[in-house]
């Protein structure tokens, strides 16, 4: 008690200090229940006095004192924190244990106790966070460096793994949704481009059909009438006018030749044999026409394709063959071409091969491969597949696989286990 009074002497005159000693537990509890406002309790204890009398230890006494007190209880040993003591500048029992253990080791090692220096145990500011909240004490006013124990975990600390997992799931789903939206927009743009490409091809075919009809029904007829008129005029000119007859005959021949060219152009724009005789006859006529014009050998292996195939598929076959042969004339330089057309398991196979100079598609200029892209688009429009193979000096091979009836390209590919692209 003398030691405690000496340490508290500096506070006398500033606060009222009452020493509750030499009281039974019942008396002490009654006094603790009647403490004036703004009081605190400093708990000090010893277990045995100089006469050997043993007292109630802190483990038993402290909970009883804390339960009776109407003011916060502070202590000077860190073991009391959490057992009813709010906290304080408390002796670190763990540190004292290390010091004591070290001294024991030195004594057991033969060192005289009086040769071991006295070491003061380390004290720390330590407080029970729960008790601070219970007594409405502001933790911000604690001494700097104070240790808070028995902190209740925040929602973040308590559910951190779950929150992180949930956040990861949310971020992953957000990225997935963003990716799916991007892919959807990309798909919509591709569909729009494909639809636009299909519309262009259809518009091109309609325009070709119209021009072919005009050439055949109008211009060819007018040229034929012109040729007949020239023949009639030649008969009316006297035979003595040899020079005039010669000029008229030349004009008549030129008119006939122009009519034939217009007829050929009309067939290229829109083959009437395709509608009347079917795709096999139209492809055969096309091969003969190009062979005569180019002076090259075109070998044809053509199966009889049923007339029941979709007209758009038939037109696609005709245009693919026409474009491939046109490329032979413009670029290949080959002297021999093989054209094969056959039906297998409801799938039409078309191949056009030449032994020309070939090309490297990756090195083609953007506008140079337009015909190839149109061929690919035509095939895609009817739901088929096309493979264009070519190497420099090795010729070119175009292979197309087409359904009997036009359908969506992806559905047809899935049905035949073919990967597009």
């Amino acid at each position: 008690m003398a030691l405690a009074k000496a340490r508290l002497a500096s506070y006398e005159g500033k606060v009222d200090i009452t020493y509750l000693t030499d009281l039974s537990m019942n008396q002490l509890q009654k006094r603790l229940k009647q403490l004036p406002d703004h009081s605190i309790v400093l708990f000090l204890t010893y277990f045995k006095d100089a006469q050997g009398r043993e007292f109630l230890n802190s483990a038993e006494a402290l909970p009883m004192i804390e339960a009776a007190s109407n003011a916060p209880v502070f202590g000077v040993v860190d073991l009391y924190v959490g057992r009813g003591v709010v906290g304080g500048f408390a002796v670190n029992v763990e540190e004292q244990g290390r010091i004591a253990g070290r001294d024991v080791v030195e004594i057991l090692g033969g060192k005289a106790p009086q040769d071991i220096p006295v070491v003061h145990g380390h004290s720390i500011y330590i407080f029970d966070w729960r008790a601070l909240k219970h007594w409405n004490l502001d933790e911000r006013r604690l001494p700097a460096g104070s240790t808070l124990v028995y902190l209740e975990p925040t929602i973040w600390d308590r559910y951190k793994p779950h929150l992180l997992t949930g956040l990861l799931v949310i971020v992953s789903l957000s990225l997935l949704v963003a990716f799916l939206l991007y892919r959807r927009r990309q798909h919509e743009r591709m569909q729009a481009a494909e639809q636009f490409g299909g519309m262009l091809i259809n518009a091109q075919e309609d325009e070709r059909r119209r021009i072919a009809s005009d050439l055949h029904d109008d211009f060819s007829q007018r040229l034929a009438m012109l040729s007949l008129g020239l023949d009639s005029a030649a008969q009316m000119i006297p035979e003595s006018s040899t020079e005039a007859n010669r000029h008229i005959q030349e004009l008549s021949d030129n008119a006939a030749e122009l009519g034939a060219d217009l007829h050929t152009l009309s067939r290229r724009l829109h083959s009437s044999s395709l509608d009347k005789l079917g795709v096999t006859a139209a492809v055969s006529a096309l091969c003969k026409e190009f062979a005569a014009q180019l002076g090259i050998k075109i070998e044809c292996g053509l199966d009889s394709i049923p007339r029941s195939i979709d007209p758009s598929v038939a037109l696609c076959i005709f245009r693919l063959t026409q474009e491939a042969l046109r490329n032979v004339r413009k670029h290949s330089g080959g002297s021999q071409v093989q054209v094969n057309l056959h039906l297998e398991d409801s799938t039409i196979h078309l191949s056009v091969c030449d032994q020309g100079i070939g090309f490297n598609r990756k090195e083609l200029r953007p506008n140079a491969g337009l015909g190839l892209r149109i061929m690919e688009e035509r095939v895609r429009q009817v739901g088929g597949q096309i493979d264009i193979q070519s190497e420099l000096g090795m010729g070119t091979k175009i292979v197309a696989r087409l359904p009997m009836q036009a359908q969506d390209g992806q559905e047809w590919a899935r049905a035949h286990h073919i990967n597009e692209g």
Side-chain angles (χ1 to χ4, degrees), residues 192-214:
E194 291 172 355
Q195 291 175 356
F196 182 68
M199 292 172 60
L200 286 179
I201 290 177
N202 292 334
Q204 184 185 53
E205 290 297 335
D206 291 341
E207 186 64 12
R208 283 183 171 185
R209 189 177 292 106
R210 186 190 64 80
I211 295 175
S213 177
D214 289 345

Side-chain angles (χ1 to χ4, degrees), residues 315-325 350 352 374-376 378-379 386 398 400 402:
L315 180 61
C316 178
I317 294 171
F318 181 82
R319 292 303 183 201
L320 289 179
T321 308
Q322 187 180 49
E323 183 64 29
L325 294 177
L350 171 68
V352 181
I374 291 177
M375 293 170 71
E376 292 172 338
R378 284 185 179 278
V379 174
I386 185 170
I398 299 174
L402 306 163

Side-chain angles (χ1 to χ4, degrees), residues 76-92:
V76 293
V77 180
D78 63 356
L79 290 179
Y80 298 164
V81 179
R83 300 180 181 179
V85 167
V86 175
F89 191 62
V91 173
N92 189 333

